[in-house]
C-alpha cells in the first residue's frame, strides 16, 4: 500500500489535475514574481543556496583531481538535472508567502513533514537515475572519439576538444545528447515537485501532469527551459558564485509557473 501511495497519492486514486493554456507573458510574469519572492528576504535565500556554487566548485575540483576531466562538463551541466529537486525549500517559501503564512527561511525545511515526501523522493530518484545515465552516456561518447586514456593535463584536454575533428564531433554529439536529457527532465518535472508539495497526488500523477502541461504549452515551456539554461550558464560566472542568486530566483519562479499551468484544487491541501 505504501508503494501504491507513492505512485497514486493519498486517496489511492490517479489524479489528473486540469491544465491551463498559458502564453509568453505568463513566463515573464512568473519570473517577475520569483524575483519578488527573492527580493523579500534575499539574505536568507542566498544563505540557503550557497550549496549550489559550493557544489559546483567541488564538482570541478573533484573531476580535475580525480583525472576525470572528460566528465567535467557533463558533471557541471548534469548537476542542473537535479535542480528541480534541490529547489524544494524555495517552492515551500513561495507557497507560504502566497498563502500569507510565515515565510522565514527555516520553513524551507518544512518539506520534510510533507505527506507527499515519499512521492517526492521517488521522483527525485528518477532524476538521479537520469543524472547517472547522462554521465555514463557522456563518458561513452568521449571514449568513442578519444579512447579510454585520460588526458595528461587541462591544457591538453581543451586543445584536443577545441582544435581537432574528434573534438568538434564530441561537442556536437555531447551537446545534442545533453539537450535530449534536458528535454526529458523539463517535460517530466516542470510542475511535478511544486504539485506534490501542494497536493499529495503521487509521483505518477505529478509526472503525468508535467507532461500534459508541456504538450499543451510547447512554446512557453520550451522558452522556460531556454531561460533556465541561459541563466544557469550566467550563474556559473564567476566560479559558480552567480548561482547563489540565480537558483533561488528560478526556484521561486517555478512555483509561480506551476500556479499558472495547473488549475488549483477545490480542496485545500492538508499540511
Amino acid at each position: 500500500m505504501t508503494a501504491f501511495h507513492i505512485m497514486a497519492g493519498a486517496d489511492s486514486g490517479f489524479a489528473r489535475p486540469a491544465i491551463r493554456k498559458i502564453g509568453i507573458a505568463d513566463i515573464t510574469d512568473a519570473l517577475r514574481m520569483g524575483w519578488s519572492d527573492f527580493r523579500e528576504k534575499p539574505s536568507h535565500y542566498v544563505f540557503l543556496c550557497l550549496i549550489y556554487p559550493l557544489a559546483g566548485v567541488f564538482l570541478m575540483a573533484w573531476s580535475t583531481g580525480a583525472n576525470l576531466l572528460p566528465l567535467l562538463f557533463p558533471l557541471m551541466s548534469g548537476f542542473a538535472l537535479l535542480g528541480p529537486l534541490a529547489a524544494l525549500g524555495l517552492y515551500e517559501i513561495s507557497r507560504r508567502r502566497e498563502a500569507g503564512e510565515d515565510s522565514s527561511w527555516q520553513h524551507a525545511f518544512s518539506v520534510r513533514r510533507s505527506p507527499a515526501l515519499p512521492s517526492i523522493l521517488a521522483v527525485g530518484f528518477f532524476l538521479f537515475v537520469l543524472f547517472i545515465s547522462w554521465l555514463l552516456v557522456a563518458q561513452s561518447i568521449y571514449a568513442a572519439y578519444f579512447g579510454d586514456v585520460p588526458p595528461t593535463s587541462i591544457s591538453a584536454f581543451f586543445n584536443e576538444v577545441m582544435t581537432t575533428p574528434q573534438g568538434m564531433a564530441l561537442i556536437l554529439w555531447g551537446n545534442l545528447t545533453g539537450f535530449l536529457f534536458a528535454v526529458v527532465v523539463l517535460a517530466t518535472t516542470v510542475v511535478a515537485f511544486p504539485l506534490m508539495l501542494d497536493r499529495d497526488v503521487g509521483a505518477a500523477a505529478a509526472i503525468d501532469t508535467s507532461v500534459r502541461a508541456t504538450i499543451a504549452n510547447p512554446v512557453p515551456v520550451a522558452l522556460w527551459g531556454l531561460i533556465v539554461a541561459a541563466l544557469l550558464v550566467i550563474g556559473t560566472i564567476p566560479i559558480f558564485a552567480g548561482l547563489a542568486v540565480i537558483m533561488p530566483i528560478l526556484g521561486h519562479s517555478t512555483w509561480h509557473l506551476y500556479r499558472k499551468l495547473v488549475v488549483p484544487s477545490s480542496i485545500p491541501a492538508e499540511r
Side-chain angles (χ1 to χ4, degrees), residues 116-206:
L117 185 60
S119 301
I120 290 171
L121 293 177
V123 181
F125 179 74
F126 165 70
L127 287 184
F128 183 74
V129 170
L130 285 178
F131 174 70
I132 297 300
S133 300
W134 157 239
L135 294 182
L136 293 174
V137 171
Q139 176 61 32
S140 298
I141 294 173
Y142 178 85
Y145 289 102
F146 292 101
D148 295 323
V149 180
T152 56
S153 66
I154 295 179
S155 59
F157 170 70
F158 282 106
N159 184 63
E160 286 182 339
V161 171
M162 302 304 296
T163 63
T164 65
Q166 297 93 325
M168 294 297 103
L170 174 68
I171 292 174
L172 172 63
W173 291 109
N175 280 301
L176 179 59
T177 306
F179 171 76
L180 294 177
F181 272 93
V183 168
V184 171
V185 170
L186 178 65
T188 55
T189 65
V190 63
V191 297
F193 289 104
L195 174 59
M196 289 185 289
L197 197 60
D198 189 39
R199 309 180 221 172
D200 189 7
V201 298

Side-chain angles (χ1 to χ4, degrees), residues 9-35:
D11 61 359
S12 299
F14 186 78
R16 288 179 65 90
I19 298 298
R20 291 192 184 105
K21 293 277 290 183
I22 66 171
I24 304 302
D26 292 298
I27 299 295
T28 57
D29 193 46
L31 287 168
R32 180 188 59 79
M33 290 190 286
W35 166 250

